[in-house]
Amino acid sequence: MTELSGWGLFPQIDCRVVRARCEDDVRKAVLAAPLIARGNGRAYGDAALNPGQTLDMTGMDRMLSFKDGMLVAEAGVLLADIIHAFLPRGWFPLVTPGTKMVSLGGAIAADVHGKNHHVDGSFRSCVDWVELMGMDGEVSRVAPGDELFEWTLGGMGLTGVILRAQIRLRPVESSWIVQDSKALTSLTETIDAFEAAMDAPYSVAWIDCTDGPQHGHSILLLGRHARSEDLPADRPKFNLQRRGKIPVPFGMPLLFKGRALQLINSAYWRLKARRAGRALVDWDSYFYPLDGLANWNKLYGRNGFIQFQCVLPRDMAPDGLAKLMAAIAESKQGSVLSVLKRFGPQTSHFSFPMAGYTLAMDFPANERSLALMEQLDKITLAHGGRFYLAKDARMAQAVAKADPRAETFAAMRKETGLAARFASVQSERLGL
């Protein structure tokens, strides 16, 4: 048995780990016992944990073919591998989450989103097909429009084991990003700025949730891939030099409490406000700022942390976000890492996004945080919102089932027999 956790280090569960290096290894595991596939372990909670059998897919990490931006690769390939292989050739992922250390299979299972969802949608938009091993050990290829494909994108590995996929990359002229940063002083001002920038290829905001919605200081970052003419004459088009990782001490929980947290957030906003404006930044810093911190998940101490991430529909978002921020400020808790993004519409059966705003925040894993998040759950549901399963580690089943899609997903899995073969701690907890 191996003690495993998600990226949040909460919960930590003893699991029997089986490692796969080829399709036959996967088949033996599938036919032996119920399981969940696991990629690089970047789901924050218990979505990739099964005490009976957790199937480690990191050994299936081969890129199989590439032509005209279309890449066929095994599920264990990391986005980092794809970037370092193809960015020097002028190609970049069409959709990427906030870390490049996620596996291809994990990106598909969670139907990850990035800073460009309002323009390009979620990961589904770049997937041409997926090869999936079912409960009988047989492999099927599913594509957009197929029922199984639509449930697999966002299905958290509960529709079968993802073996391979073909994805489309984006052509780029350089590895640099033209970034425009804006310092804003309230939630209303931030939402207005997002709405005015709907044509920006990328947009994301850090927002201070410790001082309530009347303040809600934020830093909005707009970006686009730099063209050749945007670069100084002495700037190489493609810079793939790896950033050195800043070591992070294990456990600094005092930084995430009350007045200390308010001071940190205030100082961060003032620093970034002084540097607001246009800048040419490297791809790694823009898309993956936290990847530059070694093991940043250990900042919250040995008990780990929990992320709360919800999305609210566009018409309900201003009021819902204001109430979320007010509840957080009143609790005297908060998050250094509070991120706001604008989503466009979503079509997959069980994916997280909807047209509106998503707010993500990290909290130390303790009883006060759990109580606060139950309050945030109620506010989210009252405003027609839903929650991101890739970040969930503690949601109650009744909260998950408030989304009618959850009952439909669970019924589909029961009727097809998938529920008896593919299961995780999360799926059992949420009744999926």
Side-chain angles (χ1 to χ4, degrees), residues 166-310:
Q166 177 171 290
I167 64 171
R168 283 168 281 112
L169 305 183
R170 172 197 306 279
V172 295
E173 295 183 28
S174 79
S175 64
W176 301 92
I177 300 295
V178 177
Q179 174 185 282
D180 290 298
S181 62
K182 300 181 179 182
L184 306 166
T185 59
S186 70
L187 174 62
T188 298
E189 192 177 351
T190 302
I191 290 176
D192 288 345
F194 267 112
E195 294 299 316
M198 287 295 288
D199 58 344
Y202 299 102
S203 63
V204 63
W206 170 88
I207 188 165
D208 185 358
C209 291
T210 65
D211 59 355
Q214 293 79 12
H215 301 289
H217 289 73
S218 70
I219 302 294
L220 176 65
L221 301 177
L222 307 177
R224 63 173 174 83
H225 291 278
R227 296 180 288 269
S228 299
E229 58 266 28
D230 295 316
L231 304 179
D234 60 348
R235 184 74 58 94
K237 286 187 178 181
F238 294 98
N239 174 28
L240 269 293
Q241 183 176 356
R242 294 178 184 266
R243 287 184 296 164
K245 291 200 172 185
I246 301 171
V248 171
F250 200 126
M252 300 176 66
L254 291 177
L255 295 181
F256 307 104
K257 294 182 180 179
R259 184 59 179 162
L261 183 58
Q262 290 179 331
L263 291 172
I264 290 171
N265 280 2
S266 178
Y268 179 82
W269 184 85
R270 289 197 301 270
L271 174 65
K272 294 297 182 180
R274 287 198 297 267
R275 299 177 179 176
R278 175 160 292 191
L280 198 62
V281 299
D282 68 274
W283 62 276
D284 206 4
S285 298
Y286 183 80
F287 289 105
Y288 315 111
L290 289 177
D291 284 353
L293 299 176
N295 298 319
W296 68 264
N297 58 333
K298 295 182 178 180
L299 275 170
Y300 292 84
R302 297 185 183 278
N303 292 331
F305 71 96
I306 310 168
Q307 184 166 106
F308 175 88
Q309 185 167 2
C310 69

Side-chain angles (χ1 to χ4, degrees), residues 2-303:
T2 302
E3 187 176 75
L4 290 180
S5 71
W7 184 245
L9 305 178
F10 173 87
Q12 299 180 18
I13 296 174
D14 287 332
C15 299
R16 186 172 77 87
V17 178
V18 176
R19 292 177 170 82
R21 294 192 60 82
C22 64
E23 188 175 308
D24 284 343
D25 291 343
V26 178
R27 184 172 290 107
K28 290 175 185 176
V30 167
L31 297 178
L35 58 79
I36 193 69
R38 177 182 173 94
N40 203 36
R42 287 304 179 107
Y44 279 44
D46 49 11
L49 304 178
N50 183 318
Q53 191 175 200
T54 298
L55 183 61
D56 182 349
M57 295 293 290
T58 57
M60 293 185 65
D61 60 351
R62 292 167 282 266
M63 296 186 223
L64 304 175
S65 70
F66 181 80
K67 183 179 180 181
D68 298 331
M70 293 180 292
L71 171 68
V72 178
E74 291 180 324
V77 169
L78 300 183
L79 289 189
D81 302 329
I82 294 172
I83 292 167
H84 284 281
F86 294 106
L87 184 53
R89 296 169 171 82
W91 299 93
F92 192 77
L94 181 65
V95 173
T96 177
T99 175
K100 59 183 178 296
M101 304 310 297
V102 65
S103 69
L104 177 58
I108 292 169
D111 195 21
V112 296
H113 56 270
K115 299 174 177 66
N116 58 334
H117 191 279
H118 63 293
V119 174
D120 294 313
S122 61
F123 205 74
R124 178 191 185 278
S125 63
C126 71
V127 180
D128 289 330
W129 52 258
V130 175
E131 288 188 344
L132 198 67
M133 183 174 289
M135 58 188 177
D136 55 1
E138 296 299 313
V139 179
S140 59
R141 179 177 289 188
V142 294
D146 297 338
E147 278 293 299
L148 189 55
F149 178 92
E150 302 300 343
W151 283 119
T152 296
L153 274 289
M156 302 308 295
L158 299 172
T159 63
V161 178
I162 297 166
L163 300 175
R164 290 170 288 273
Q166 177 171 290
I167 64 171
R168 283 168 281 112
L169 305 183
R170 172 197 306 279
V172 295
E173 295 183 28
S174 79
S175 64
W176 301 92
I177 300 295
V178 177
Q179 174 185 282
D180 290 298
S181 62
K182 300 181 179 182
L184 306 166
T185 59
S186 70
L187 174 62
T188 298
E189 192 177 351
T190 302
I191 290 176
D192 288 345
F194 267 112
E195 294 299 316
M198 287 295 288
D199 58 344
Y202 299 102
S203 63
V204 63
W206 170 88
I207 188 165
D208 185 358
C209 291
T210 65
D211 59 355
Q214 293 79 12
H215 301 289
H217 289 73
S218 70
I219 302 294
L220 176 65
L221 301 177
L222 307 177
R224 63 173 174 83
H225 291 278
R227 296 180 288 269
S228 299
E229 58 266 28
D230 295 316
L231 304 179
D234 60 348
R235 184 74 58 94
K237 286 187 178 181
F238 294 98
N239 174 28
L240 269 293
Q241 183 176 356
R242 294 178 184 266
R243 287 184 296 164
K245 291 200 172 185
I246 301 171
V248 171
F250 200 126
M252 300 176 66
L254 291 177
L255 295 181
F256 307 104
K257 294 182 180 179
R259 184 59 179 162
L261 183 58
Q262 290 179 331
L263 291 172
I264 290 171
N265 280 2
S266 178
Y268 179 82
W269 184 85
R270 289 197 301 270
L271 174 65
K272 294 297 182 180
R274 287 198 297 267
R275 299 177 179 176
R278 175 160 292 191
L280 198 62
V281 299
D282 68 274
W283 62 276
D284 206 4
S285 298
Y286 183 80
F287 289 105
Y288 315 111
L290 289 177
D291 284 353
L293 299 176
N295 298 319
W296 68 264
N297 58 333
K298 295 182 178 180
L299 275 170
Y300 292 84
R302 297 185 183 278
N303 292 331

